[in-house]
Amino acid sequence: MNATEADFERAKPMVAARQGWHCLRCGVNTHGDAWPGHSTHHRQLRRHCDPEYRHSPANLVRLCGVGNSTGCHGWVHTHVREAEEAGYIVPSGKDPRLVPVRDWRGDWWWLSDDGTARRLGQMEVIRMGINRKESE
């Protein structure tokens, strides 16, 4: 295992714990055998991401589904515009550490390199113009 793969493997449990072992998009419990499939998704795709934060917890979220085709992980890769609006996908050229992400409850979060997250306050959400629900 090379250094970047090792970084990814180290980040996975931090990401899962940060989200309480839930899929960030739908909230299903992904701990252990509670859900048959889950994956750690790179918000900015690996091939487009700066190596500095490629496997950083700020660039990673836990989603239900296996690979890029099932569950919420599959949804993210087939609904790119909506996924970008929710912060599940970060376009090339943007730093994922500066792009908040919405959880299944509709709350917005800043994700940090250390594996923690901070919920955005209502005024931050309004100032950023991101107070959109998925159905809008």
Side-chain angles (χ1 to χ4, degrees):
M1 181 181 310
N2 65 37
T4 59
E5 290 171 356
D7 291 341
F8 185 46
E9 292 304 315
R10 273 192 299 276
K12 286 180 181 182
M14 283 193 287
V15 170
R18 175 187 68 207
Q19 295 173 210
W21 299 90
H22 291 92
C23 170
L24 193 67
R25 182 172 174 270
C26 74
V28 71
N29 181 349
T30 61
H31 194 265
D33 295 329
W35 186 254
H38 58 79
S39 49
T40 304
H41 167 68
H42 288 79
R43 297 188 322 139
Q44 189 169 80
L45 303 179
R46 291 182 224 208
R47 66 184 172 272
H48 299 292
C49 199
D50 184 321
E52 177 186 346
Y53 48 78
R54 179 175 295 139
H55 299 306
S56 163
N59 189 43
L60 302 171
V61 295
R62 186 174 178 101
L63 297 172
C64 67
V66 178
N68 295 345
S69 59
T70 66
C72 288
H73 201 176
W75 181 92
V76 163
H77 286 281
T78 57
H79 297 85
V80 174
R81 183 184 56 79
E82 295 97 329
E84 279 186 23
E85 289 174 358
Y88 305 125
I89 290 183
V90 176
S92 254
K94 287 193 175 181
D95 185 337
R97 299 171 293 193
L98 303 176
V99 178
V101 63
R102 187 181 62 223
D103 72 9
W104 70 93
R105 296 171 295 234
D107 292 330
W108 288 89
W109 296 86
W110 290 115
L111 306 181
S112 301
D113 286 333
D114 66 3
T116 61
R118 182 182 68 80
R119 189 170 79 75
L120 274 71
Q122 188 61 33
M123 290 308 296
E124 288 175 293
V125 170
I126 291 168
R127 272 194 302 272
M128 294 181 78
I130 57 173
N131 198 16
R132 297 183 295 266
K133 298 293 181 192
E134 191 170 322
S135 61
E136 293 182 345

